[in-house]
Amino acid sequence: MSTAAAIYIGAYTIQMLIARVEGDSEPEIINEFTAYTRIGENLDKSNLLTADGMALAEKAFKEMHEAAQYHKVEKFCIVASGSLRNAVNRASLFVLCNNEFGSFPQLLSNKDEARLHFAGTVTKDFAALPIIVAYIG
């Protein structure tokens, strides 16, 4: 059994899920964290991540890393929302992440992001039901 963390960096939040994983069985959720950064506020107008949001992101990365160490996380999967693609200063955010976790986030395509939201919604409990997933983020 290993312990893994998935980190999602979005335009308004950074989320981390820590789980124990064994083979193909369902992960056992240990802890969840959400930090509200609003890093992408007005991104559509300025093409810049906000300075306040960057400071909050750096703090969130540190707190999440401490929690991951406490839970003895062995593996990290870090992704960033495709909405950050047009941010001219996104490299600064990615460097902050790398400084804390030793890994740069993978910038998701819009298609991959939609696929992951769908996969996260349609668990085995709901797989047989007709379902529509709408992500507004």
Side-chain angles (χ1 to χ4, degrees):
M1 184 174 291
S2 64
T3 305
I7 299 172
Y8 172 77
I9 304 167
Y12 289 85
T13 63
I14 299 173
Q15 300 171 326
M16 180 172 74
L17 181 77
I18 299 176
R20 286 194 187 92
V21 225
E22 187 170 1
D24 292 335
S25 62
E26 283 283 318
E28 175 193 348
I29 306 301
I30 299 171
N31 220 327
E32 298 178 59
F33 303 86
T34 299
Y36 297 92
T37 63
R38 298 176 65 102
I39 199 166
E41 188 171 40
N42 297 319
L43 183 60
D44 58 333
K45 295 179 182 89
S46 69
N47 286 340
L48 290 170
L49 302 174
T50 66
D52 289 345
M54 293 284 266
L56 289 170
E58 184 174 23
K59 181 178 183 248
F61 289 151
K62 287 182 186 318
E63 291 173 357
M64 289 177 177
H65 193 213
E66 287 173 9
Q69 287 175 320
Y70 174 81
H71 290 292
K72 298 178 176 44
V73 168
E74 301 161 39
K75 295 186 231 176
F76 289 94
C77 176
I78 307 169
V79 298
S81 170
S83 65
L84 303 180
R85 184 174 311 284
N86 294 331
V88 295
N89 60 341
R90 78 171 183 262
S92 298
L93 174 67
F94 287 15
V95 166
L96 289 175
C97 181
N98 184 60
N99 289 347
E100 196 59 47
F101 296 103
S103 180
F104 288 99
Q106 175 189 350
L107 186 62
L108 294 172
S109 69
N110 291 336
K111 184 177 181 178
D112 283 341
E113 191 165 0
R115 183 181 53 78
L116 289 170
H117 283 293
F118 184 83
T121 304
V122 184
T123 62
K124 65 180 179 181
D125 296 331
F126 298 103
L129 300 174
I131 192 165
I132 296 174
V133 176
Y135 172 70
I136 303 169

